[in-house]
Amino acid sequence: MAGVTLKTVAKAVGVSLSTVSNAYNKPDQLSAALRDRILTTARELGYAGPDASARALRSGKAGAIGVLFTDKLSYAFSDPFAVGFLAGLAEVAEEFRTSLLLMPLGGEDTEDDSTAVKQAAIDAAAIFCVPHGHPALDILAARGLPAAATDPGNFTDSWVAIDEVAAAAGLGEYLTRLGHRDIVVLLDNAQAPGSPVEMGLDEVASGNPILRVEGLRKAMPEARIRLVSGGYNAFDSGVAGAGWVLDSQDRPTAIVGLSDVQALGAMEAIRVRGLVPGRDVTVTGFDDIPAAEQAGLTTIHQPIKDKGRALGRLLLDPEATERQIMLPTNLVVRSSSGPAPRTL
């Protein structure tokens, strides 16, 4: 029915405008019977409810958090770490009746990305795996939006992180005790060509990968550490990168995946060559996603879901006074790691 408004519904029910508004926005302030009567009458009259845009203008709130990450949109639904993090963030968002707006960004500034960040109807931003200095962060700063990040020093003083260097150093110390001195590190490189490549540290995107490599080098000053990428952070990239080094004449004694998904791919590459992870070649990962335990992957455990929850509270909970949170990590040793094979 054209022209049906909040006032029309209020008149039909015989209540005030504010009472009808409360039926939609503050249901706890009405009895169940009165709210049902208002909503039933509204449906009969063809009233769909308050206009969301108008409500946002009146309140000054969009009712949504923007989640910024530099990867494809499908990453948020396929990568186990992203899934766990977003699940924790969503739990807190639900508690505060807030939505999540996923905002995938390119590795470099594009007109589409800039427009999306400038125009996004969000109240705050969760900066999830965005490299330092990305142009989108400047746009957020210009908008004055509250933000919290998953690593320290990335645009905002509010963050939830782990000590990446210390965690990787702990892994390096463990590998050193096992006698490993020849290491290949598998890392994500969205710009990699179709075949695996060996990289220099100056070619690695800023952020967690560099910190993890720094931690390994700090703990293993005598070791040869090579960096190899098979492409995006994915299982298939781990298969490709590990397969490339295993088929070379210069096989390492240990392969370190900077994510569990790549490490799991490395384990597959080892098996298809008739080798045994942990006996012939050691494999370790990082994150401790659910699949890591089943596969017997030695890895660094970090509380993935708790990271999402904590970041959500920084953005939404007015009682969250601690603005910088360092979460604990620990090395989980499983069957994929073992002593370095003896050389003849």
Side-chain angles (χ1 to χ4, degrees):
M1 183 183 297
V4 177
T5 65
L6 203 71
K7 186 175 182 180
T8 309
V9 177
K11 184 176 180 180
V13 180
V15 296
S16 66
L17 283 171
S18 61
T19 300
V20 176
S21 177
N22 287 342
Y24 290 94
N25 302 313
K26 301 177 181 178
D28 56 310
Q29 296 192 8
L30 304 180
S31 68
L34 177 56
R35 183 170 186 266
D36 288 344
R37 185 155 62 92
I38 291 171
L39 297 181
T40 299
T41 302
R43 284 194 297 270
E44 292 172 350
L45 292 172
Y47 180 65
D51 180 78
S53 299
R55 182 167 55 201
L57 286 173
R58 288 193 299 271
S59 66
K61 296 289 185 181
I65 291 173
V67 183
L68 279 65
F69 55 98
T70 50
D71 214 314
K72 299 176 182 178
L73 182 59
S74 58
Y75 168 79
F77 303 95
S78 60
D79 181 79
F81 181 88
V83 169
F85 172 82
L86 290 172
L89 180 60
E91 284 184 11
V92 178
E94 288 174 353
E95 180 183 338
F96 289 89
R97 302 180 68 181
T98 298
S99 300
L100 300 181
L101 176 63
L102 300 182
M103 303 180 65
L105 307 170
E108 299 178 358
D109 188 27
T110 67
E111 185 175 347
D112 287 345
D113 288 341
S114 297
T115 300
V117 177
K118 287 176 183 176
Q119 298 181 353
I122 56 176
D123 300 316
I127 302 170
F128 175 52
C129 300
V130 178
H132 295 196
H134 192 284
L137 304 181
D138 294 332
I139 296 173
L140 286 178
R143 291 187 60 180
L145 290 172
T150 54
D151 60 320
N154 192 353
F155 162 74
T156 174
D157 290 333
S158 296
W159 47 262
V160 179
I162 62 171
D163 190 331
E164 304 280 359
V165 174
L171 175 60
E173 291 166 1
Y174 168 70
L175 293 173
T176 298
R177 290 195 298 271
L178 291 176
H180 294 283
R181 300 294 185 272
D182 194 348
I183 315 295
V184 162
V185 175
L186 297 179
L187 45 79
D188 173 23
N189 178 21
Q191 308 303 319
S195 58
V197 293
E198 188 165 343
M199 304 171 61
L201 190 59
D202 59 336
E203 299 175 87
V204 179
S206 64
N208 295 345
I210 285 183
L211 296 176
R212 293 176 186 180
V213 172
E214 286 180 358
L216 286 171
R217 288 182 168 176
K218 177 181 178 181
M220 310 181 76
E222 305 297 324
R224 180 175 69 149
I225 299 177
R226 291 175 284 161
L227 310 182
V228 171
S229 175
Y232 283 100
N233 181 41
F235 179 87
D236 290 345
S237 298
V239 172
W244 186 62
V245 298
L246 291 170
D247 292 339
S248 72
Q249 297 297 315
D250 196 11
R251 179 186 294 176
T253 64
I255 297 175
V256 175
L258 291 193
S259 70
D260 283 348
V261 292
Q262 293 216 57
L264 292 171
M267 292 178 70
E268 177 65 14
I270 290 170
R271 290 194 186 98
V272 300
R273 286 162 176 79
L275 304 174
V276 178
R279 185 193 71 186
D280 300 306
V281 182
T282 279
V283 180
T284 65
F286 212 105
D287 293 332
D288 200 18
I289 62 176
E293 181 177 6
Q294 182 178 0
L297 176 64
T298 293
T299 188
I300 295 293
H301 172 86
Q302 65 166 310
I304 301 171
K305 202 168 185 179
D306 287 346
K307 181 178 279 189
R309 291 189 187 103
L311 199 76
R313 296 217 167 271
L314 285 186
L315 294 171
L316 294 171
D317 191 346
E319 297 183 5
T321 55
E322 188 177 2
R323 308 309 300 174
Q324 299 177 349
I325 301 172
M326 192 70 79
L327 297 174
T329 62
N330 62 283
L331 174 66
V332 181
V333 176
R334 301 189 178 108
S335 61
S336 72
S337 59
R342 293 182 180 179
T343 57
L344 298 179

